[in-house]
C-alpha cells in the first residue's frame, strides 16, 4: 500500500485546522457566556516562557501552509501575524484552508524524496520531503494546535477530545 503525500499533509492539515476553528469558536462563545474579555484567552499562555494562544494559532497555520508549499516547490505564502481577535484568527485559518485547497494530489507526487530547505534555529537545513513532513512540520503543527487547545482548556473552556478531533 502506498501512502499519498497529499493525504498525509494537505488532508491532515485541513482536517485539524477545521477542528482548531471549532475549538476557537467554543472559546469565544465561552468567553461571552462567562463575561470574560476575549483578550484574556487570546493572550493566555501555559507558562511564562511559552507563546500566547494567538501566536500558537499563527505558528500552526504557518506549518500548515508551509509544508505542502515546500513539498510542491511553491512559494510559501507570507502572513503578517497581526491577528488580535478570534475573528481574525478564524480568518487566518480560513485563508490557510483556501491555500490548502489549491493543491491537488499531483502537486505532491514525488515529494517524499524532493529536497526541502528550511531554517532551523537560525541555520539552513536540507531534508528529504518525507523526513521534513513527518519529523519537523507535523510534530510542530501538532505541538501548536495542542498547546492552543491546552491554553483554552486550562482557562476553563469546556473542551473535550471530540472537539479537538473535530467530531463536535
Amino acid at each position: 500500500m502506498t501512502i499519498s503525500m497529499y493525504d498525509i499533509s494537505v488532508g491532515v492539515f485541513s482536517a485539524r485546522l477545521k477542528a482548531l476553528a471549532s475549538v476557537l469558536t467554543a472559546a469565544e462563545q465561552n468567553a461571552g457566556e462567562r463575561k470574560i474579555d476575549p483578550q484574556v484567552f487570546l493572550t493566555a499562555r501555559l507558562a511564562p516562557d511559552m507563546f500566547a494562544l494567538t501566536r500558537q494559532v499563527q505558528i500552526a497555520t504557518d506549518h500548515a501552509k508551509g509544508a505542502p508549499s515546500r513539498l510542491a516547490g511553491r512559494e510559501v505564502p507570507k502572513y503578517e501575524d497581526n491577528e488580535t481577535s478570534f475573528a481574525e484568527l478564524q480568518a487566518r485559518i480560513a485563508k490557510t484552508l483556501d491555500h490548502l485547497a489549491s493543491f491537488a494530489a499531483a502537486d505532491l507526487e514525488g515529494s517524499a524524496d524532493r529536497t526541502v530547505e528550511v531554517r532551523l534555529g537560525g541555520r539552513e537545513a536540507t531534508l528529504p520531503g518525507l523526513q521534513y513532513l513527518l519529523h519537523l512540520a507535523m510534530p510542530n503543527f501538532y505541538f501548536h494546535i495542542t498547546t492552543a487547545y491546552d491554553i483554552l482548556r486550562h482557562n476553563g473552556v469546556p473542551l473535550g477530545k471530540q472537539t479537538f478531533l473535530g467530531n463536535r
Side-chain angles (χ1 to χ4, degrees), residues 7 46 77:
D7 290 339
L46 287 180

Side-chain angles (χ1 to χ4, degrees), residues 8 10 14 18 28 32 40 52-53 64 79 81 89 91 95 106 128 131 133 142 146-147 168:
I8 65 172
V10 173
S14 296
K18 289 173 186 171
E28 185 174 26
V40 170
L53 173 69
Y79 296 171
D81 296 337
L89 290 176
K95 181 169 48 171
Q131 184 179 357
L133 179 63
Y142 274 105
T146 300
T147 302
R168 225 197 276 182

Side-chain angles (χ1 to χ4, degrees), residues 62 65-66 69 74-79 99:
D62 287 346
K65 69 182 167 68
S69 297
R74 290 188 191 175
E75 186 75 23
V76 178
K78 298 205 183 335
Y79 296 171
H99 176 67

Side-chain angles (χ1 to χ4, degrees), residues 57-139:
V57 174
Q58 291 167 339
I59 295 171
T61 56
D62 287 346
H63 284 287
K65 69 182 167 68
S69 297
R70 289 183 185 95
L71 292 169
R74 290 188 191 175
E75 186 75 23
V76 178
K78 298 205 183 335
Y79 296 171
E80 292 191 32
D81 296 337
N82 58 0
E83 295 82 11
T84 60
S85 68
F86 281 109
E88 290 172 347
L89 290 176
Q90 293 286 11
R92 183 182 178 112
I93 291 170
K95 181 169 48 171
T96 305
L97 288 168
D98 288 345
H99 176 67
L100 292 172
S102 74
F103 290 92
D107 295 330
L108 277 78
E109 283 182 15
S111 65
D113 298 318
R114 185 173 295 137
T115 299
V116 174
E117 294 180 5
V118 292
R119 291 194 63 77
L120 297 173
R123 63 181 175 82
E124 292 290 328
T126 303
L127 306 162
L130 184 62
Q131 184 179 357
Y132 160 71
L133 179 63
L134 296 180
H135 297 281
L136 184 67
M138 281 296 183

